[in-house]
């Protein structure tokens, strides 16, 4: 499911470009949308999301910017929406706004391929081959987690080189403020309850928040979470920072899965929690080099 994509389409050749939360248009080598023609200024125009709508600004360009045939005053923000027609310098660089969704978490290749987040979690190059995962870090920004367990902060416009391809990240604007504790669902404020059938063929997951439970129907990825949760519960006496870690190869044998299937399982489980409103759902499975573990002690396993 591709969420939060806004696109420009150039008239004439149909070239498309995804609009990020702050897109710079011009001849500059580092322009977000680079237009290599002398008619376009080095820093020609910008498009940004202001929290409510998309805005176009001319940056003092030599040949001007037209919006629906009307010249834009330099520096003056002008609203654009689906169908808006933008001319950068002359008719040869006329683009239309093909879609104007609010910015979401996504990544793109130079050929126009765009991959969007599912449940707020972006797997690259795809879920089955998730060499890197990008997700909210719970502090208003985003984090990158590699398959090897390395974690770093993500930046809008950052390029990730994965399997011979270069993916350019498009991050939503930083989340404003930190919600009051207990006001939203986080792994620190919810209790996770697994309801397991006797034959373990059916595993349901209940998310209990502020005394109210939301029960998610049985899904096969929940068995992966259940296995990790049991390992963490079994290590309850260990120091918290070492509680429940398991080697990935051992986990694969326990679950009778290959690496791709495990990646899909973890991604799907994270997505299920995110879809239920757990804002730091990616942390339900923690990763470090060669190991995985369940991300919280607030867990119970009950008979179904």
């Amino acid at each position: 499911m591709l969420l939060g994509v806004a696109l420009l389409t150039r008239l004439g050749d149909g070239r498309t470009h995804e609009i990020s939360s702050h897109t710079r248009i011009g001849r500059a080598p580092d322009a977000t949308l680079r237009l290599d023609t002398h008619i376009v200024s080095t820093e020609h125009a910008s498009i940004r999301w202001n929290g409510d709508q998309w805005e176009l600004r001319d940056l003092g360009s030599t040949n001007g910017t037209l919006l629906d045939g009307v010249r834009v005053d330099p520096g003056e923000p002008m609203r654009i929406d689906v169908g808006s027609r933008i001319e950068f310098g002359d008719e040869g660089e006329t683009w239309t706004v093909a879609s104007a969704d609010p910015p979401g978490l996504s990544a793109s290749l130079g050929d126009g391929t765009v991959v969007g987040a599912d449940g707020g979690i972006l797997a690259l190059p795809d879920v089955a081959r998730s060499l890197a995962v990008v997700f909210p870090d719970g502090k208003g920004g985003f984090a990158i987690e590699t398959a090897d367990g390395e974690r770093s902060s993500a930046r809008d416009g950052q390029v990730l080189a994965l399997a011979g391809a270069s993916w350019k990240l498009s991050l939503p604007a930083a989340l404003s403020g930190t919600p009051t504790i207990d006001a939203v669902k986080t792994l620190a404020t919810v209790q996770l309850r697994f309801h397991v059938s006797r034959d373990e063929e059916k595993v349901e997951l209940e998310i209990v928040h502020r005394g109210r439970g939301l029960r998610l129907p049985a899904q096969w990825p929940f068995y992966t979470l259940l296995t990790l949760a049991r390992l963490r519960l079994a290590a309850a006496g260990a120091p918290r920072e070492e509680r429940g870690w398991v080697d990935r190869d051992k986990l694969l044998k326990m679950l009778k899965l290959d690496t791709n299937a495990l990646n899909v399982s973890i991604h799907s489980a994270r997505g299920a929690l995110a879809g239920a409103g757990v804002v730091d759902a990616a942390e339900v499975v923690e990763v470090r080099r060669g190991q995985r573990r369940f991300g919280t002690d607030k867990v119970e396993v009950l008979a179904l």
Side-chain angles (χ1 to χ4, degrees), residues 37-255:
T37 169
H38 71 281
I39 297 297
V40 174
S41 297
T42 303
E43 296 284 345
H44 194 103
S46 70
I47 296 173
R48 67 181 291 271
W49 177 257
N50 71 2
D52 296 307
Q53 62 189 27
W54 291 101
E55 292 181 343
L56 168 72
R57 280 183 171 85
D58 181 86
L59 300 179
S61 64
T62 301
N63 294 305
T65 302
L66 273 62
L67 174 60
D68 295 326
V70 178
R71 191 180 183 96
V72 175
D73 291 333
E76 183 71 19
M78 300 296 293
R79 176 176 178 169
I80 58 173
D81 211 329
V82 175
S84 294
R85 183 172 173 138
I86 307 168
E87 183 180 310
F88 302 109
D90 76 350
E91 292 182 358
E93 290 295 349
T94 301
W95 298 67
T96 59
V97 180
S99 62
D101 293 344
L105 174 58
S106 64
S108 59
L109 293 174
D111 64 2
T113 300
V114 178
V115 174
D118 186 359
I121 302 170
L122 174 65
L124 294 172
D126 53 46
V127 173
R129 299 175 296 150
S130 52
L131 302 178
V133 181
V134 186
F135 52 85
D137 63 6
K139 302 174 185 177
F142 292 84
I144 302 168
E145 177 186 279
T146 69
D148 291 332
E150 301 293 333
R151 180 173 294 193
S152 60
S153 296
R155 306 184 312 275
D156 187 45
Q158 182 176 352
V159 176
L160 301 181
L162 302 169
S166 296
W167 292 91
K168 187 174 184 179
L169 296 181
S170 179
L171 308 182
L175 306 177
S176 57
T178 301
T180 304
I181 190 71
D182 289 340
V184 295
K185 295 176 185 173
T186 69
L187 292 177
T189 65
V190 301
Q191 181 84 8
L192 299 181
R193 291 177 181 163
F194 290 94
H195 299 268
V196 187
S197 64
R198 181 174 297 181
D199 60 6
E200 303 207 342
E201 290 294 322
K202 188 175 183 181
V203 179
E204 297 178 357
L205 180 59
E206 183 181 11
I207 302 170
V208 182
H209 181 244
R210 305 180 77 179
R212 301 180 64 181
L214 173 64
R215 199 145 162 176
L216 305 181
Q219 302 179 33
W220 73 270
F222 291 164
Y223 188 77
T224 297
L225 290 189
L226 173 64
T227 301
L228 290 169
R230 283 172 166 163
L231 289 168
R232 180 145 187 162
L233 288 171
R240 189 179 184 280
E241 61 272 14
E242 293 301 322
R243 205 172 291 163
W245 288 106
V246 59
D247 290 341
R248 182 177 58 184
D249 290 345
K250 181 178 178 180
L251 182 62
L252 292 173
K253 291 178 181 178
M254 294 172 69
L255 296 171

